[in-house]
Structures are given as C-alpha cells and as structure tokens.
Amino acid sequence: MTQRPRLSVIGTGYLGATHAVCMVELGFEVIGVDVDHAKIDSLRAGRIPFFEPGLPELLAKHMNSGALRFTTDYAEAAEFADVHFICVGTPQKQGQYAADLTYVESAFRTLAPHLKRRTLVVGKSTVPAGTAVQMEQVLTELAPADGVELAWNPEFLREGFAVEDTLRPDRLVFGVHSDWAEQQLRAAFAPVIESGTPVIVTDFATAELVKVAANSFLATKISFINAMAEVCEATGADVTQLADAIGHDARIGRRFLNAGLGFGGGCLPKDIRAFIARAGELGVDQAVSFLRDVDEINLRRRARTLELGLDLLDGSYRGTRVAVLGAAFKPNSDDVRDSPALDVAAAVGRRGADVVVFDPEANETARKHAPELNYVGSLNEALTGADLVMLLTEWQEFRNMDPQAVSSLVRHQNIVDGRNVLVPAQWRDAGWHYRALGRP
Ligand code: UGA
C-alpha cells in the first residue's frame, strides 16, 4: 500500500479552497497556495472568502489540526508536497471567446523551478484541449528534478454542493502518461476510490475534453428546454409540464430541464465559448457550431424576461419601482459572474426603473459589479412599494413567499417568475398579474 502523499493546492478560489479543505477531511496533509495575500490571510483566519454551504464548518474543524496550512510561498509548497493540484481560474478573455490561460501558465512556471524531487503536478483547471501537453513541456524545461510528471484531473464540482461533490464525486478522470502518475493519483484519491467512485484512466486530451463536453451537454440541455419554452409561449403550452413529461423518460431525465432565465456563472457560459474558440483552431468549428445557438437561446431568455416585465408595466419601466429577487447566478451561491439575474436587474435599471435588489447572500458581490442598483437587507424591504416583482434566482425564501401575505407590501400586484418556481394559480387567485417564461 502506497503511503499517503502530502498535497499542495495551488489557487484557493472556489475550486482550490474546497479541494484543499476536503482533502484534509479525507485524511491528507495539505498546503494551500495563492498569490493573493488577502485570500491567504482570510483562510488563515478561518474565513472562507466566498459563500459555500458546509465549507466554513469543515475549515473550522481542521484549522488547528496541523494538517492544513496556507501560504503565498511556492517554495514552501514544493518542499512540503508530493502531489501538487493546480486549481487556478481560466476566465473568458476580455472581448473574445477563448479562455485566458495566464493564471494556469503562471502557476506552472512559478512552481516548476522549485520542484527538486520527483513529484506529480495535477492540472484541475478547465482548459482547452492541448493545454496539458504545453504544461508538460513547461515542467520538462523548468523543473530541476528528474521524473517530475504531469496528470490532468478535471473537476466537476457544482457551486452550492462543492463539499459533497468533492468528498463523493460521481467519477474521477485521470489523464496520465505513465503508470507511476496513475499510481500517485490513485494514492491521492485513495479514500474516494475505496468508497466505490468509478475511475476513468485516459490520455491528456480526453481528460481535458471530458470537462468541456460535460459542461457543453449541461448547457445544451438547459437551452433545449428554454427553446421549448419559446415554442410553448407561441402555442399556449406549459414548459414545466412538458419537462416533467419528457423527463420521465429515463433516457432524457428530468434534471437540468428547468426552463427559465437560463444559465450563468463562472463555468457554463465561458466554457462553451472557449470550446467554440478551440474547435475553430482545431478546424472542427462545425462540430460544435450548435453551441452558438445554445448561447443565443440562453441570452434570449434575458431579453424575454425584460419583455414580460414591460407587458405588466404597460410598456415602460421609467419611473417605476421594481423589486428584483436574487442576484446570484443560482441559489446557494454568492457568485454573480455572468449572472442572468444581475444582468436583467441592470437592464431594468438602464430602462429608467428604480431597481431594489435583495439576495440572501450575494448583495455584497453584486454591489461590486452593479453599484448603481439599490440593495436592501430583506425580502420585505425589497417588496415594499414595488410596481413589479421579478423573481430571478430561485432561493428557497422566494419560493416560500405567500402571495396573500406579500400583496399588502407592494404597490401593484405584478410578478414575473423568471425561474418557474411559483404556482401560478395561487398567485392569480390572490389577485396578482403573473407572468412566466414558457407558461401560460
Ligand atoms: C457547473 C457544472 O454543473 C459542474 O459540474 C462543473 O464542475 C462546474 O460548472 C464547473 O465547470 O466548475 P455550476 O456553474 O456551479 O456548475 O452551476 P450549475 O449548477 O451547473 O448551474 C449553472 C447554471 O444553470 C445556473 O445559472 C442555473 O441557474 C442554470 N440552470 C441549471 C438552469 O437554468 N436550469 C437547470 O435546469 C439547471
């Protein structure tokens, strides 16, 4: 039985911080590394610098165990660890579809010169196919020790369920070039593998593609049901019942068939665009051209949501007060990257409405992105005096709203259900004008 390797996690954002803390929970000694001093100071003080259910409790549990520490010093990490996980971000390039690989390259180039003994470096970041081979070259050129190897191990965690997804993933994918690399990875995930998680051992290109293919499929599934929502609107059909009915077919499945305002966040939108860009470079543009439609259908839902609000306000947002419920790209997250909710809120503001936003967790992150909007600390404050209510992120608190009780707070009983989570009859019976995407 191989000894448990000591691990480093480079990049302590959503992915890295979760991976570091969860690997300690699984029994490993871990050092977390980031160039951002503020993030490291926060983690050292026991504070997770973003909202992720369950993660603060796990950090607190292991803070003083001696098994987890954080540093800004790559040399310290190289000295300590046998396996290094690269978990830095790959955002969309400004004004382009392609992924920005600056952080990945920088992490490899900074780490490599410190690798003075045989080690495995594991890429976890979502990257365009072909990146791993380039990073392997960087290690060959810059690492002083012999036998420093690369593996690619894509990550599938969902924000809001990141702890669960890391401790009990659906599958593990190991892109490797040697048996030694595979054995190192098997040792680094031993507790997860022992609990029965399937492992797919493959080459670099397949490992890289598994991740973008999975996210492309999920995005396509969402845009498929949203395309059906457009057809439902033209025919008077109900997309939620349509989704239930087709979802009973086990080959289709009901998950990720929730029609509404569409997908956002730091992953799905930028991953499909980066895939389109990379496929173009590879000469297989046509193979993924449908992803352009997926993106467009998704963005059209935002425009349609604005129209529904406009209908309820008799043609103009100007001078009205609009309560926007939700700013995060999905519930149980404070992430507003490419958030459909915040995008619509800002557009309503630009059309002359007084927009009052409430999100249970994302008010602060949203304020940084859209400082021109008004943020309030409670649902009731947001609703008070509203001419129109727009439910744009399906937090449980919003789903639980009692249409009778909240009607006394608003000025006019108009509601757009941007996530199809309310029961239309209940709202209409309570006197509301109710509109939703893909539903009569
Ligand atoms: C996504 C993938 O689900 C993860 O497997 C992947 O690891 C991650 O990206 C990543 O690449 O790191 P995440 O961005 O956290 O995870 O969010 P999802 O739960 O996938 O939701 C994405 C968006 O789709 C949200 O805006 C959500 O509101 C929307 N959505 C989801 C729908 O509009 N309808 C649905 O039926 C499901």
Side-chain angles (χ1 to χ4, degrees), residues 218-427:
L218 294 172
T220 303
K221 205 170 174 191
I222 298 167
S223 277
F224 171 80
I225 200 64
N226 282 331
M228 293 305 107
E230 292 186 3
V231 180
C232 285
E233 282 168 27
T235 57
D238 183 330
V239 74
T240 61
Q241 290 186 321
L242 179 82
D244 288 344
I246 64 171
H248 279 298
D249 184 332
R251 293 169 302 173
I252 296 173
R254 180 63 178 82
R255 294 174 75 189
F256 270 67
L257 280 184
N258 295 322
L261 193 42
F263 60 81
C267 302
L268 262 45
K270 67 106 177 155
D271 285 354
I272 61 168
R273 291 174 196 151
F275 199 12
I276 293 168
R278 184 65 184 135
E281 290 167 2
L282 292 167
V284 285
D285 199 20
Q286 277 190 329
V288 297
S289 62
F290 70 96
L291 290 176
R292 291 181 192 276
D293 288 333
V294 167
D295 202 6
E296 276 171 26
I297 292 164
N298 192 51
L299 296 176
R300 277 210 297 273
R301 297 286 75 192
R302 302 180 189 186
R304 180 66 186 143
T305 303
L306 281 172
E307 281 174 14
L308 292 179
L310 206 56
D311 282 356
L312 288 170
L313 291 172
D314 296 328
S316 176
Y317 280 105
R318 193 154 295 285
T320 63
R321 184 180 163 99
V322 177
V324 166
L325 309 186
F329 83 103
K330 66 173 187 179
N332 294 314
S333 170
D334 65 352
D335 195 344
V336 298
R337 285 177 295 170
D338 207 334
S339 167
L342 198 55
D343 203 11
V344 168
V348 170
R350 285 194 298 275
R351 281 162 178 71
D354 171 18
V355 180
V356 185
V357 182
F358 170 64
D359 189 289
E361 290 295 338
N363 272 5
E364 290 317 309
T365 47
R367 199 193 303 273
K368 287 183 202 131
H369 281 74
E372 71 280 11
L373 305 176
N374 298 319
Y375 297 89
V376 292
S378 74
L379 173 58
N380 282 3
E381 258 179 281
L383 295 172
T384 302
D387 297 302
L388 170 68
V389 179
M390 301 180 99
L391 193 169
L392 304 182
T393 313
E394 69 276 32
W395 286 94
Q396 196 59 44
E397 183 178 357
F398 305 153
R399 305 172 83 130
N400 291 346
M401 275 189 301
D402 175 352
Q404 289 284 0
V406 296
S407 58
S408 60
L409 295 173
V410 298
R411 187 157 55 192
H412 292 107
Q413 286 177 280
N414 293 318
I415 187 160
V416 173
D417 179 3
R419 293 289 178 182
N420 283 318
V421 288
L422 305 176
V423 180
Q426 287 176 2
W427 287 77

